[in-house]
Amino acid sequence: MTRQILNKSVKVDGIDIFYREAGDPRNPALLLLHGFPTSSIMFKNLMTALADRYYLVAPDFPGFGFSAFPDKSSFAYTFENIAACIDKLTDAIGMRRFSVFLHDYGCPIGLRICVRHPEKIATLIFQNGNTYDEGMGPEWDPYKDYWAHPTPEKKAKLTGFLSEEGVRTQYTSGLPEALLPAVSPELWMIDWDLMKRPGNIEMQWELNCDYASNVRMFPVFQEYFRAHQPPALVIWGRYDVFFAIEEVDCYQRDLPDVETHLVDGGHWALETNFDEVLSLMENFLSANTGR
């Protein structure tokens, strides 16, 4: 069995979508959905580790990573549109049933696919991906205020995360000193290099503002959990400064058989706690997919 990662692209509604692929398509499939501000690069180590038993696909969203960055006059950068694009990608490459890894922005994108096509979903793996109001801690209050009552003055105070330093601290904020060496610097450097393309920073701001649509979808996602009871694994880095730890216990309301784990890491647990996350995923997937 090969552990080779292949780098491919496919046109979805005329847009070139880049994706990384590993493993045998005859094996249980896993769709890996990245968050802000990164791309499928965050999954390279995980794909190598699992490719002998699973078929793994990690796409870059439009405007992220190595996917095309179409002008917003031809593609509206909303979570709904990105989800529709990734949904079509799974059809285009023949993914009929799969587990989903849901991280950060990838969580509401992936759950939109789940709501549309519950028959496609084998299991859910949440890694610091928000689905409940409790996960939106007080750090989100200024953004909620802007979404409801936008002004140029408020925007000027909130856009610091769309800078070189802001992208770097996406990976390091909240982490104890001892965990910082586990974070690979090329990740944030590649993220920033791609983000500073003309027009991308403004696109990222508009997409961040559309996060309000995800909050409105929380009840829909929770109803999907209750109605379909997908096997679910929740892995949460306790030092996450973006999504509150109170989120973790919420899943048991709607998924009584959910498996939850707090790890001594942050928002990017695949960087800081790779061995632990890998072991939890292997055990969960083996129990629920037979591999």
Side-chain angles (χ1 to χ4, degrees):
M1 296 291 289
T2 179
R3 295 179 185 267
Q4 180 68 50
I5 297 175
L6 302 178
N7 304 287
K8 298 184 175 183
S9 65
V10 64
K11 280 195 180 294
V12 176
D13 293 337
I15 301 170
D16 282 319
I17 300 298
F18 174 89
Y19 66 99
R20 303 176 199 266
E21 178 188 68
D24 188 333
R26 293 171 295 185
N27 286 337
L30 180 55
L31 180 66
L32 306 167
L33 299 179
H34 68 81
F36 172 85
T38 192
S39 65
S40 60
I41 193 172
M42 71 174 281
F43 295 117
K44 287 185 69 176
N45 292 338
L46 183 66
M47 295 178 78
T48 300
L50 293 176
D52 61 332
R53 289 153 288 168
Y54 300 96
Y55 173 59
L56 302 112
V57 172
D60 290 353
F61 306 147
F64 289 76
F66 297 104
S67 285
F69 175 31
D71 187 86
K72 62 183 181 180
S73 64
S74 60
F75 183 85
Y77 288 90
T78 66
F79 285 89
E80 183 65 29
N81 281 349
I82 293 174
C85 181
I86 300 304
D87 187 15
K88 291 178 181 178
L89 175 139
T90 65
D91 286 339
I93 64 176
M95 296 182 76
R96 298 294 175 250
R97 185 167 172 81
F98 46 85
S99 298
V100 193
F101 187 104
L102 304 150
H103 172 71
D104 192 82
Y105 277 12
C107 187
I109 288 168
L111 287 177
R112 280 173 164 83
I113 297 173
C114 296
V115 168
R116 283 195 191 97
H117 303 291
E119 74 284 356
K120 290 185 176 182
I121 306 305
T123 75
L124 302 178
I125 300 171
F126 297 88
Q127 195 261 286
N128 294 76
N130 182 232
T131 314
Y132 291 87
D133 289 332
E134 287 86 342
M136 306 282 287
E139 63 275 6
W140 283 92
D141 289 347
Y143 294 90
K144 292 177 181 178
D145 177 57
Y146 178 85
W147 299 339
H149 308 287
T151 68
E153 293 76 18
K154 291 176 184 177
K155 178 180 177 180
K157 294 178 180 179
L158 296 175
T159 54
F161 70 101
L162 298 172
S163 65
E164 182 174 8
E165 179 62 13
V167 170
R168 186 185 70 81
T169 56
Q170 288 288 316
Y171 289 91
T172 58
S173 289
L175 287 182
E177 192 74 23
L179 290 179
L180 292 176
V183 178
S184 300
E186 68 269 19
L187 293 177
W188 72 263
M189 295 176 74
I190 291 171
D191 293 347
W192 172 241
D193 196 52
L194 292 167
M195 189 184 294
K196 64 185 181 183
R197 290 174 291 176
N200 197 273
I201 288 176
E202 187 57 35
M203 178 278 284
Q204 296 288 354
W205 172 252
E206 292 179 8
L207 186 60
N208 177 270
C209 292
D210 190 56
Y211 204 90
S213 72
N214 299 329
V215 178
R216 292 191 295 271
M217 287 288 288
F218 285 175
V220 178
F221 299 154
Q222 293 158 23
E223 176 56 31
Y224 161 76
F225 298 157
R226 289 191 293 271
H228 297 281
Q229 293 296 305
L233 170 67
V234 176
I235 303 170
W236 208 267
R238 67 173 68 250
Y239 304 119
D240 191 341
V241 299
F242 306 111
F243 296 130
I245 199 171
E246 286 77 11
E247 170 97 7
V248 177
D249 291 337
C250 297
Y251 289 90
Q252 293 176 342
R253 297 177 195 161
D254 302 310
L255 293 167
D257 295 326
V258 67
E259 182 181 333
T260 62
H261 298 270
L262 282 174
V263 300
D264 286 323
H267 190 65
W268 305 89
L270 274 176
E271 285 294 293
T272 55
N273 304 76
F274 180 79
D275 289 340
E276 187 175 4
V277 172
L278 176 62
S279 178
L280 291 170
M281 288 183 62
E282 287 177 324
N283 293 338
F284 172 77
L285 289 169
S286 176
N288 288 282
T289 68
R291 293 303 296 266

